[in-house]
Amino acid sequence: MEEIASLMHGFSVALTPYNLALMFVGIVLGVIIGVLPGLGGANGVAILLPLTFSMPPTSAIIMLSCIYWGALFGGAITSILFNIPGEPWSVATTFDGHPMARKGQADEALTAAFTSSFVGAFVAVIVITFLAPIIARFALQFGPAEFFSVFFLTFASFVGMGRGSAWKTLAAMALGFALAAVGMDGVTGQLRMTFGYEQLLNGFDFLIAVIGLFGIGEILSSMEDGLKFQGSNAKLRLRVVLTTWKKLLGYWATSIRGCIIGCWMGITPGGATPASFMSYGLAKRISPRGANFGKGEIEGVVAPETAAHAAGTSALLPMLTLGIPGSPTAAVLLGGLLIWGLQPGPLLFVEQKEFVWGLIASMYLGNVVGLIVVLTCVPLFASILRIPFSIIAPVILVICAIGAYTVNNNIFDVWMMLVFGVVGYVFNKLRYPLAPLVLAIVLGDKAEESFRQSMLLSQGSLNIFWANPLVASIMSLGIAMLLWPLVTAFRARFAQSRSATAV
Amino acid sequence: MHLRRTTLRCRLAGAAMASAALLAGAALPAQAWEPTKQVTFIIPAGTGGGADQMARFIQGVVTKHNLMKQPIVVINKAGGAGAEGFLEVKKSKGDPHQIIITLSNLFTTPMATGVPFNWKDLTPVAMLALDQFVLWVNSETSYKAPKDYIDAVKAGADKQFKMGGTGSKQEDQIITVALEKVTGGKHFTYVPFRGGGAVAVQLVGKHVDSSVNNPIEAVAQWRAGALRPLCIFDNKRSTYTNKVTDTMAWSDIPTCKESGVDVDYQMLRGIFMPGGVTKDQVAFYVDLFKKVRETPDWKEFMEKGAFNNTFMAGDDYTKWVAAAEKRHHELMKSAGFLAEAK
């Protein structure tokens, strides 16, 4: 096996004390960046990029990719503790992670999230190691129609997930699509729905919406409940990691599914966000405990985290082999590669063996180091919830405001965040689900763009979505997902009437 | 509004003349002003694109070679095809601690969207380089020269051939429309994507038939043998003679003009400051960028992206920008992309 020899050589490159120290620094910085909403992996890497110009390229990419791993780990922390997802792919983690924290199981939720992240990332690295050249070619088959089919599948696997009225889900999703459409229309190059306001040029950034809807909305709800934070009964159990691991073994099927979805979405490159939502949606459908999802089910943390990290890791593959970034952070890393004098592309694996295999080896090591760092801190993170609400709430508010400001360095966004906070509170009161709204804000414009690109290519014919086996099979899967709730409802009714006639 | 802009321009011109006279007469010390706090470097485009790469590269060079005492901070303001960044600089009149890197959206964005700004609201500092455009096709096709491809477009059905490009009503689409002058009334179907890297990959995957990618966006695929350059949209060939692939250098790519396709277009990679800054303040940045350009890092970067390594500052640069604006207005007008035309 040539790959194993190369990988061993890679380990020898990555395993110098200097590189190991950089790994550790990168992970810690990354976790901090991930915890601060708004700063995010892409911004964090961009800010720190110039620091690495004086380093050898291999050490530089090791440190930056470790920041990336750290940010991926860190994103889960605020999602679970405060219901504030720091990154788009952490949104699905809040659905069950935060209810667990409210039940006093924050430490379990964190352990589950970190461990699943690790599993997802690790599987993805193994895939990269052995299948890189084969899989890279697969990504080339993805044109606009294929991208749209992936987004369609994501939305379809999510429909019918919300409890309560389907109309409310639909209304929330439609509002999300409308908000996603504000700003520049990429296909015609015209501004839409900005009503002459400069502030709306940029549209509604997903992060502003999420920090407001989830974070501020949560604080408003907690205030109404009488200034007490439900997570305050968090226990500090030192053995929690081991006991949670024992539980996690039971969810191996969910993990494997998450890994497959994640690797596939990372490579294609659909990205980590659709992967996390799709994996959560599927787990809810398939799991026997699906009905409990949203109320603090550990499986609801495992599914999105595994998929998000498998996708986040495998997204580096199209970046290295094709020069197309699978995520915003990968885009910044791509810029870094060029500055260090490396040209990402099909020849990188041939010409820069040392660099590529050093990076891949650092993915193994970085994830192991990351897991150890974050797991040892679980009791520390969980104990944050023991701080009285009257002290922690203003701190969260300030962090949210800073986060919202950092996204675009714009004070208007802070006001928008507060408005979204009120919207989130009202939605909660009226029992409108937030998830479809957020999903539509995150993926709405991308789905629209790829749909319209497809229409341009086919000159208006919908046949393009059935033009080849790849796109046709994804579309069929999407339609099956869309009709699944109807089928199950129908079957339930059928079974009921049959038992009625039998009696 | 119009009146105000005219008076502003008069005042600026007056100030410029006054300080020019002062410079000529008294020969002030070269460095009369330098930044007293951190300098904000605005990119009117998203992370990962050509402008972003160049700005972050400059930031890296300035830090590495210690060219400035104060730190330099890069931020992206990409909203509304860059309008957000330009409006920010327009608002910061008189602030010498802000610079912005421009691409063609300096001209195209206000023309296509009607967002109220113009390069005259800013102070031109220096042209760093011109970015080239190359006509690319998939290497598995039989088109060896631009004429082969143009003939195929002529012979095909209207809108049969698909051109992938970055953004809408921006440089890539302008070139596409300009190309249609030589295709005998046949149009391309122009498909906008978010970034140049994505366009190159779509072309490799044969989802589109051609692209007008910048060299740096497509070079990796060219070297891997997946894409083939047909011609470069410049009046003369590139000056980089080092082999990029086994057989070809950038200088081996013919110009479109010599191949009978009379279209040329380059994109400005230049630096501007807010309006209302003093001559000394501009001089500091001109000097800074001269130093950046002297580093070996810069030369390597230029060659990698096959940039047209032209430097301009002062009146030459201002004249160039004015001419470029006029040219873009004509191109946008003939393509029907002007906001007022609607």
Side-chain angles (χ1 to χ4, degrees), chain A residues 82-101:
Chain A
F82 306 121
N83 207 20
I84 307 169
E87 304 277 358
W89 50 80
S90 310
V91 174
T93 311
T94 63
F95 299 158
D96 278 279
H98 187 62
M100 280 182 79

Side-chain angles (χ1 to χ4, degrees), chain A residues 372-449:
Chain A
I372 295 169
V373 170
V374 288
L375 278 184
T376 48
C377 295
V378 162
L380 183 74
F381 294 135
S383 64
I384 295 174
L385 287 184
R386 293 167 69 102
I387 302 171
F389 181 73
S390 51
I391 294 173
I392 198 80
V395 175
I396 298 175
L397 202 62
V398 169
I399 291 177
C400 284
I402 294 173
Y405 179 79
T406 325
V407 176
N408 290 317
N409 302 296
N410 196 339
I411 197 74
F412 178 76
D413 287 342
V414 179
W415 297 113
M416 273 326 301
M417 172 199 79
L418 291 176
V419 171
F420 274 115
V422 175
V423 172
Y425 173 77
V426 172
F427 263 50
N428 264 335
K429 282 277 139 188
L430 299 178
R431 297 186 178 279
Y432 275 84
L434 285 176
L437 172 68
V438 170
L439 183 68
I441 294 180
V442 177
L443 296 179
D445 56 340
K446 290 200 188 80
E448 185 208 341
E449 192 178 82

Side-chain angles (χ1 to χ4, degrees), chain A residues 8 46 65 76 184 203 269 288 290 351 364 394 439 446:
Chain A
M8 287 304 140
S65 58
M184 184 53 102
E351 290 173 350
Y364 285 96
L439 183 68
K446 290 200 188 80

Side-chain angles (χ1 to χ4, degrees), chain A residues 158-166 169 284 433 435-436:
Chain A
F158 217 71
V159 162
M161 270 202 28
R163 294 177 298 278
S165 165
T169 305
K284 186 178 155 71

Side-chain angles (χ1 to χ4, degrees), chain A residues 130-154:
Chain A
F130 294 103
L131 299 175
I134 306 165
I135 291 171
R137 247 168 275 141
F138 179 71
L140 287 175
Q141 300 189 18
F142 263 68
E146 285 78 5
F147 277 113
F148 176 73
S149 65
V150 166
F151 294 128
F152 177 72
L153 177 58
T154 312

Side-chain angles (χ1 to χ4, degrees), chain A residues 287-472:
Chain A
S287 167
R289 304 151 72 87
N292 284 338
F293 270 48
K295 295 178 193 158
E297 190 61 39
I298 199 164
E299 203 178 345
V301 177
V302 173
E305 280 290 310
T306 316
H309 286 240
T313 307
S314 47
L316 290 177
L317 186 64
M319 179 189 97
L320 291 172
T321 56
L322 296 172
I324 34 169
S327 72
T329 314
V332 180
L333 285 176
L334 187 74
L337 288 180
L338 291 167
I339 293 168
W340 298 314
L342 299 167
Q343 185 76 61
L347 294 179
L348 190 68
F349 274 78
V350 183
E351 290 173 350
Q352 302 285 346
K353 269 205 159 89
E354 181 135 317
F355 170 81
V356 171
W357 288 102
L359 171 63
I360 291 178
S362 86
M363 290 181 184
Y364 285 96
L365 296 169
N367 273 299
V368 174
V369 173
L371 185 70
I372 295 169
V373 170
V374 288
L375 278 184
T376 48
C377 295
V378 162
L380 183 74
F381 294 135
S383 64
I384 295 174
L385 287 184
R386 293 167 69 102
I387 302 171
F389 181 73
S390 51
I391 294 173
I392 198 80
V395 175
I396 298 175
L397 202 62
V398 169
I399 291 177
C400 284
I402 294 173
Y405 179 79
T406 325
V407 176
N408 290 317
N409 302 296
N410 196 339
I411 197 74
F412 178 76
D413 287 342
V414 179
W415 297 113
M416 273 326 301
M417 172 199 79
L418 291 176
V419 171
F420 274 115
V422 175
V423 172
Y425 173 77
V426 172
F427 263 50
N428 264 335
K429 282 277 139 188
L430 299 178
R431 297 186 178 279
Y432 275 84
L434 285 176
L437 172 68
V438 170
L439 183 68
I441 294 180
V442 177
L443 296 179
D445 56 340
K446 290 200 188 80
E448 185 208 341
E449 192 178 82
S450 53
F451 179 76
R452 290 173 64 190
Q453 284 165 349
S454 313
M455 288 297 100
L456 279 172
L457 287 172
S458 70
Q459 300 188 13
S461 161
L462 285 172
N463 288 340
I464 190 167
F465 297 119
W466 311 96
N468 64 57
L470 178 67
V471 64

Side-chain angles (χ1 to χ4, degrees), chain B residues 20-251:
Chain B
L22 211 65
L23 269 179
L28 285 169
Q31 287 286 302
W33 181 88
E34 62 181 307
T36 51
K37 56 174 195 174
Q38 71 170 37
V39 173
T40 309
F41 195 173
I42 294 176
I43 306 162
T47 43
D52 184 61
Q53 278 170 27
M54 188 178 271
R56 289 184 195 281
F57 174 76
I58 290 169
Q59 181 195 22
V61 169
V62 170
T63 316
K64 185 175 159 190
H65 294 274
N66 217 356
L67 300 179
M68 193 164 76
K69 284 181 195 136
Q70 297 293 334
I72 185 164
V73 182
V74 174
I75 55 172
N76 299 79
K77 286 195 174 278
E84 191 195 0
F86 290 116
L87 289 173
E88 171 84 18
V89 180
K90 184 184 171 182
K91 258 188 290 182
S92 314
K93 196 165 168 262
D95 178 3
H97 294 99
Q98 204 172 61
I99 52 177
I100 186 167
I101 189 164
T102 68
L103 39 156
S104 288
N105 63 359
L106 172 68
F107 309 118
T108 56
T109 297
M111 288 180 197
T113 63
V115 174
F117 74 85
N118 183 283
W119 67 270
K120 296 187 187 89
D121 300 327
L122 319 176
T123 309
V125 176
M127 173 196 289
L128 299 179
L130 290 171
D131 209 344
Q132 303 280 12
F133 291 83
V134 172
L135 180 61
W136 302 92
V137 291
N138 192 302
S139 58
E140 285 171 28
T141 59
S142 59
Y143 316 121
K144 304 281 184 219
K147 202 173 162 299
D148 301 343
Y149 184 59
I150 296 294
D151 285 347
V153 175
K154 274 186 192 164
D158 193 27
K159 297 194 168 180
Q160 179 193 338
F161 283 81
K162 290 149 196 149
M163 177 75 85
T166 311
S168 185
K169 296 184 182 160
Q170 294 179 27
E171 54 281 356
D172 285 14
Q173 198 171 5
I174 289 178
I175 298 174
T176 306
V177 172
L179 265 182
E180 286 170 355
K181 278 188 202 145
V182 294
T183 54
K186 298 287 168 58
H187 296 87
F188 289 97
T189 295
Y190 178 81
V191 187
F193 293 90
R194 281 218 177 157
V199 175
V201 172
Q202 292 291 321
L203 184 55
V204 175
K206 297 188 198 156
H207 302 286
V208 293
D209 298 300
S210 57
S211 80
V212 291
N213 272 132
N214 298 127
I216 205 160
E217 294 166 342
V219 62
Q221 307 294 348
W222 179 29
R223 296 185 55 217
L227 297 185
R228 180 185 301 134
L230 293 183
C231 65
I232 187 164
F233 293 97
D234 195 355
N235 285 323
K236 49 185 195 303
R237 290 189 181 200
S238 169
T239 51
Y240 299 105
T241 52
N242 288 335
K243 289 269 181 283
V244 179
T245 67
D246 292 338
T247 52
M248 281 180 83
W250 286 113
S251 58

